[in-house]
Amino acid sequence: MIKEEGNACPVIANHIKVALVGQPNVGKSMLINSVSNAHLHVGNFSGVTVDKTEVLFDYKGYHFTVVDLPGTYAFTDYSIEERVTHKYLSGGGYDLIINVVDSTNLEKNLQLTSELMSMNKDIVIALNMSDEAKKEGIEIDEVYMSELLGIPCIKTSAVTKEGIEDLLDAIVKVGSQAKQESKLIFSEAVEEEISKIVAYLQKHKHEAPNSYRNIAINLLKNNKKTYARLHDDPIWTELQPILIDATKHIELHHDSDDIKEAFAEEYAAFNKGIITEVVKASTVQEKETITQKIDNILIHPFFGIPIFLFFMWGLFQLTFEIGSIPMEWIEAFFGWLGDTIGATIANEDIRSLIVDGVIAGVGAVVLFVPNIIILFIGIALLESTGYMSRVAFLLDGFFHKFGLHGQSFIPLVTGFGCSIPAYMSARILKNDRDRLLTLFIIGFMSCGARLPVYVLFAGAFFSAEMAGNVLFAIYIGGAFIGLIAAKILKLTAFKGADEPFVMEMPKYRLPSVKLIWHTVLTKTMMYLKKAGTFIAAASMLIWFLSNYPHNLELEKEFSSKIELASTQEKKNELTNELGVKHLEQSYLGTIGKFSEPLFAPLGFDWRMSVALQTGLAAKEVVVSTLGVLYALGDEVDEESSTLVNAISKNISFASAVAFIVVIMIYLPCLAASIVFTREAGGIKYFFYLFAFTSVLAYSLAFVAYNVALLFS
């Protein structure tokens, strides 16, 4: 029912809150984002890092709030996305459900629809991609389908915006009228048992928020929450034997000892009946031939992988070539900002904190936003077109050679963006051994937070023409090291038989500009939010540790030398020498000097050692740490004022190679490590990961350093 919420919106009193539900790849996000003048509110669901998108808009005197729930194939709580959707739908707090289905694959999509129908909630079905169905010769009688299901069924297209207004009108109509029971009909045996349970509940006048039929269905399906609610009720004593007899009857009817399997057959039979009545399909050979021709090229057994590698190479070329253009503008802006704000602060310590700590540290991270945006756009394009699923299929055989499952590709590719959702998406792997192995390898896929470090060093030691190739080599190199590590782990810690690979292959679709913009904007804002909060705090801490304690005797000694210096060049040299000595005696210098012997075989100075240690908190902090440390010990002139020049001047090529290898392999950031520990199932796995990545990173960095020395 529509809620009258006068305080929810100052202008519009009528408010409708909608849960947007559908299987993956049905275009539900694109559908709702096609509504004109919609405003997106992006955040996370409580307690998890799964995206929560709310779309707000007004229509014919109503204020709509649409909550876009994660895609789920069935009403289960296996993966974290499914659990979020299941929890939200079960908890209420919304007025009705929009169930978005793919018109070109209706029978599979109705699996979720039929389960939603058993919830006793108001539903409107959006038959999305109706334009594609028409091209494929699929005709759906939506009017008759509405009659059969007892649910409004509206043909829509997110691309052409067909049926959007009809869909909204249907939502308003359903929200305005009394609740109607959907026409979900099971076999005679199941309906008989449902009737018995309903009659029993009616007899005892059981009070419940749902209909008796809904309670009966949930009890027969062994719904834990329904059982928990009834378990402490006095009627449970008599109800339990009725349920035992009902389960035996249904299992006998289906020749099965699994009630879930029996209901899966019930839903499938119901869906098949609906399809038979409302769908007429004629084969359109031309469309299938075009799709097949594309697949014959992109997932060719021999050329498929080189094509994929070419796409990735092109992405990293663009990441550096185009991303480097606005970097000078951003760097100039933060330089101007530091000079402007610094001129207004009289106290030298506070001025240094703001300018050299906060502005320099945050600026060093924000500098790489263009590169991050381009990388996110590229990955979003590959995903939204349906190409990524095909690459997973393509690489299945290749992955099996290294002991990984074909479905491991999805969390591994997700790891190129951020390790946290990658660790969570590993839940698609049903075998615990495969899932754990994938969790251990995800960290080898360089996340977006490591990109600024790579871009910094690539720009410092290579020309602009070569830098893109270097980025590609770093990412592919990390992935390849991960595959070798997977093989080692498979032969030692994770022995066992491989499981078969099954995955849906979505149709090729043109990407939605609005949806990609939304995805990239969300991830970029999360990156900037991190830079403006956590990175700023870390930069302030690093500044403090690098500036204190003050050595007054040292300052007094050098101030007299600087006064007696005969030339400005000599004064600058003494000033920089003072900066270096002061930095070495600071808290950060003490930490660096203490750990320097450990990293000396890799060619690292104490500054690089400190940067690696701060990188355990967040990889972006590595750049801001280097920015704070090397800026203090560098000559300040036009040719060496940037961090890139400071890096190329103070770090040897061999040391830089070893540093990149460590960054590529060692432990992910603190937040990702916490998620890994939770997903893996215990703190012991964190220590296994720490030991494994540390030993491997150090060993390979040592080899890389000595090999690089031969070519230096």
Side-chain angles (χ1 to χ4, degrees), residues 634-646:
D634 189 37
E635 293 183 8
V636 181
D637 58 41
E638 291 180 359
E639 295 181 0
S640 59
S641 60
T642 67
L643 180 56
V644 171
N645 288 331

Side-chain angles (χ1 to χ4, degrees), residues 652-688:
S652 69
F653 176 74
S655 299
V657 171
F659 190 78
I660 288 298
V661 170
V662 175
I663 291 290
M664 189 191 304
I665 299 172
Y666 85 134
L667 203 67
C669 69
L670 179 62
S673 296
I674 292 171
V675 174
F676 166 85
T677 303
R678 188 178 67 200
E679 295 298 314
I683 190 68
K684 66 177 182 179
Y685 291 106
F686 167 77
F687 290 111
Y688 293 156

Side-chain angles (χ1 to χ4, degrees), residues 2 16 59-60 62 64 96 124 166-177:
I2 294 173
I16 303 178
Y59 178 76
K60 291 186 178 180
Y62 291 90
F64 281 78
L96 54 85
V124 175
D166 294 337
L167 179 64
L168 297 177
D169 289 336
I171 294 170
V172 171
K173 184 178 179 181
V174 169
S176 304
Q177 63 190 16

Side-chain angles (χ1 to χ4, degrees), residues 11-295:
V11 179
I12 302 167
N14 295 323
H15 180 249
I16 303 178
K17 190 166 188 178
V18 178
L20 189 67
V21 187
Q23 294 186 350
N25 304 310
V26 297
K28 60 184 178 64
S29 300
M30 186 177 172
L31 176 69
I32 204 62
N33 286 345
S34 65
V35 177
S36 300
N37 302 318
H39 299 282
L40 304 179
H41 284 189
V42 180
N44 294 117
F45 286 95
S46 177
V48 295
T49 57
V50 176
D51 284 350
K52 179 182 183 181
T53 304
E54 288 191 352
V55 183
L56 310 177
F57 60 92
D58 300 329
Y59 178 76
K60 291 186 178 180
Y62 291 90
H63 181 65
F64 281 78
T65 300
V66 181
V67 181
D68 186 2
L69 297 172
T72 176
Y73 287 105
F75 194 55
T76 57
D77 57 358
Y78 180 76
S79 71
I80 189 163
E81 287 81 6
E82 289 173 349
R83 188 149 57 247
V84 166
T85 299
H86 189 281
K87 182 179 179 181
Y88 187 88
L89 292 177
S90 300
Y94 57 92
D95 299 311
L96 54 85
I97 296 170
I98 297 180
N99 177 212
V100 184
V101 300
D102 180 355
S103 297
T104 66
N105 200 357
L106 195 56
E107 186 169 356
K108 181 179 76 69
N109 278 240
L110 285 179
Q111 167 65 28
L112 176 60
T113 304
S114 54
E115 291 189 65
L116 293 175
M117 289 172 66
S118 65
M119 289 183 62
N120 194 39
K121 298 285 187 181
D122 285 323
I123 303 174
V124 175
I125 296 175
L127 298 167
N128 199 29
M129 303 177 190
S130 57
D131 54 330
E132 291 186 20
K134 187 175 181 181
K135 290 177 184 177
E136 295 182 19
I138 300 172
E139 294 182 14
I140 301 173
D141 187 343
E142 75 276 20
V143 176
Y144 189 33
M145 185 175 176
S146 301
E147 292 178 8
L148 291 175
L149 297 178
I151 295 172
C153 301
I154 312 296
K155 285 185 178 179
T156 62
S157 170
V159 177
T160 65
K161 296 192 177 182
E162 172 195 346
I164 299 294
E165 288 194 7
D166 294 337
L167 179 64
L168 297 177
D169 289 336
I171 294 170
V172 171
K173 184 178 179 181
V174 169
S176 304
Q177 63 190 16
K179 175 73 184 72
Q180 292 185 347
E181 193 82 38
S182 60
K183 300 176 182 178
L184 177 63
I185 306 299
F186 297 104
S187 66
E188 187 178 343
V190 176
E191 288 294 336
E192 181 184 337
E193 299 304 331
I194 290 174
S195 298
K196 288 180 183 178
I197 298 170
V198 168
Y200 180 81
L201 295 173
Q202 287 174 338
K203 177 183 175 182
H204 290 80
K205 298 179 181 178
H206 176 67
E207 294 184 4
N210 295 339
S211 69
Y212 289 158
R213 179 177 174 83
N214 178 247
I215 294 171
I217 293 171
N218 285 338
L219 287 170
L220 292 173
K221 289 169 62 179
N222 290 335
N223 182 281
K224 291 181 180 179
K225 289 185 178 179
T226 307
Y227 267 77
R229 279 196 296 266
L230 283 166
H231 191 269
D232 296 331
D233 196 296
I235 66 172
W236 179 252
T237 306
E238 294 181 35
L239 185 58
Q240 189 175 23
I242 295 174
L243 291 174
I244 293 172
D245 291 340
T247 300
K248 289 179 180 178
H249 181 199
I250 294 170
E251 288 177 350
L252 181 64
H253 178 75
H254 283 274
D255 192 21
S256 170
D257 57 358
D258 187 345
I259 194 69
K260 289 185 178 180
E261 183 181 322
F263 265 94
E265 290 179 7
E266 290 284 339
Y267 285 128
F270 175 77
N271 298 338
K272 191 172 182 179
I274 296 295
I275 295 296
T276 303
E277 292 291 332
V278 304
V279 177
K280 294 180 181 178
S282 59
T283 305
V284 181
Q285 192 63 34
E286 183 183 357
K287 181 67 177 179
E288 293 178 352
T289 305
I290 292 172
T291 301
Q292 192 172 2
K293 281 180 179 178
I294 296 173
D295 274 344

Side-chain angles (χ1 to χ4, degrees), residues 503-515:
M503 186 176 185
E504 179 191 6
M505 202 79 78
K507 292 182 176 66
Y508 286 112
R509 292 193 176 91
L510 289 174
S512 163
V513 175
K514 189 171 183 180
L515 191 58

